[in-house]
């Protein structure tokens, strides 16, 4: 059973600030989908907003344009193979939750499944900007709820420990990722 | 002397795909500035485009709105303290290139300085989208030239070696960063 704890909305941007790869979940009626997105970033602190690129040819795009909702799930490294796989196959062809054995749990403010095996979740409602969507495949959204796995995020900050499987990751290309590496502070180096 | 080599435009997105912190350089007339931006991401592959959030109160914003140009510089870890510092002081108060001892070299297609000590550079021309700029502080731009340090990027991919000081970094908050960690591929794990 996935462990998750609420993240205050004014801390939601921290979940994405370091640029991890995300999994976008979406749903409309009985249909649901999951795809990978590296091109996602915070857009504002409070109320928290995000920007994400969703290609016009994807099944996810159809669901998001119908429902006006999606979730950004930050996968742990243990989900790396599934992250690559759901970025390579269309949900119009298969139920990727089933083929990738991705378990889900309910979101609180939107009717979109959240993925087990992730370490952070941002529930998002689209801010309708048709020009951005049509010309740039760019979706802006408000974050209406946020969650994180207390094993790696607590007191408003990431606290990765020794378990590399619970770290976030950064997608490069061609099936290659970088792990999120060691944390360091430069505050003591300031003159 | 900074070593840099051209990156083909269809590979430019790879320079930002893993979500590193960036330094935004800008200039107009005799004025120039540098600030930190974590909220930057690729927007398209070809022609390559980027999206970046530039707060309305910044001196950088004034310069970019006047010139229509900026560069995204990807700092190596050796520049971590300078990255935090230029994100904490306004260029309206001081010449941050001087106070942070940041050497520069000329860009090829834009009149904006590029920073030595970085490992990748994207020369950008703003795609005028006044609504995004005014409402969301969001700038979209086309990448018109790209460069990388051949010590860590060659054959169209990042090739970080043993020198941690040459790795990119990911900003968290409060002076904390993550180093870009180990590279791994999941292609062999695919069923």
């Amino acid at each position: 059973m996935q462990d998750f704890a609420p993240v205050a909305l004014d801390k939601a941007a921290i979940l994405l600030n370091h640029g991890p790869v995300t999994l976008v979940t979406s749903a409309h009626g009985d249909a649901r989908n999951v795809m990978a997105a590296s091109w996602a970033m915070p857009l504002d602190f409070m109320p928290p907003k995000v920007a994400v690129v969703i290609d016009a040819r994807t099944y996810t795009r159809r669901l998001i344009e119908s429902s006006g909702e999606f979730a950004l799930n930050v996968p742990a490294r243990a989900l790396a193979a599934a992250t690559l796989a759901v970025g390579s196959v269309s949900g119009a062809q298969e139920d990727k939750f089933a083929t990738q054995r991705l378990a889900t749990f309910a979101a609180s403010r939107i009717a979109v499944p959240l993925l087990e095996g992730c370490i952070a979740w941002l529930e998002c409602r689209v801010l309708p900007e048709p020009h951005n969507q049509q010309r740039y495949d760019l979706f802006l959204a408000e974050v209406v709820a946020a969650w994180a796995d207390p094993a790696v995020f607590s007191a408003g900050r990431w606290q990765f420990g020794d378990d590399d499987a619970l770290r976030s990751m950064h997608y490069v290309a061609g099936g290659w990722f970088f792990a999120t590496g060691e944390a360091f502070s430069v505050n003591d180096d300031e003159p």
Side-chain angles (χ1 to χ4, degrees), chain A:
Chain A
M1 190 64 188
Q2 177 71 54
D3 195 11
F4 60 99
V7 172
L9 284 178
D10 65 357
K11 301 290 186 192
I14 295 179
L15 300 173
L16 288 186
N17 209 80
H18 65 301
V21 67
T22 68
L23 293 170
V24 181
T25 48
S26 55
H28 184 242
D30 290 338
R32 61 180 187 165
N33 199 26
V34 52
M35 63 169 268
S38 282
W39 299 358
M41 67 177 185
L43 181 65
D44 206 350
F45 287 108
M46 199 63 192
K49 300 187 186 81
V50 295
V52 58
V53 176
I54 308 283
D55 192 283
R57 295 161 298 185
T58 61
Y59 187 51
T60 292
R61 175 75 168 259
R62 274 195 270 165
L63 297 180
I64 292 177
E65 290 191 333
S66 298
S67 70
E69 300 178 339
F70 63 89
L72 295 179
N73 307 253
V74 177
R77 179 167 172 171
L79 282 186
T83 299
L84 184 65
V86 301
S88 312
V89 176
S90 171
Q93 265 96 58
E94 64 178 45
D95 180 342
K96 292 186 271 186
F97 298 91
T99 54
Q100 293 300 318
R101 298 178 191 182
L102 294 168
T104 65
F105 61 103
S108 66
R109 305 273 314 274
I110 61 175
V112 167
L114 305 181
L115 291 174
E116 294 196 11
C118 289
I119 51 180
W121 304 265
L122 297 96
E123 302 183 24
C124 302
R125 283 209 186 106
V126 173
L127 297 162
E129 292 286 356
H131 172 72
N132 284 334
Q133 295 166 207
Q134 287 156 26
R135 187 176 181 99
Y136 300 108
D137 294 340
L138 179 65
F139 284 72
L140 310 184
E142 182 172 342
V143 179
V144 294
W147 309 89
D149 183 338
V152 293
F153 190 93
S154 57
R157 53 179 289 203
W158 290 107
Q159 319 250 20
F160 293 117
D162 293 334
D163 186 354
D164 285 342
L166 277 179
R167 285 180 174 259
S168 57
M169 30 182 197
H170 308 265
Y171 191 61
V172 188
W176 284 88
F177 297 80
F178 291 120
T180 298
E182 63 165 327
F184 63 94
S185 168
V186 297
N187 278 324
D188 292 339
D189 302 333
E190 289 291 296

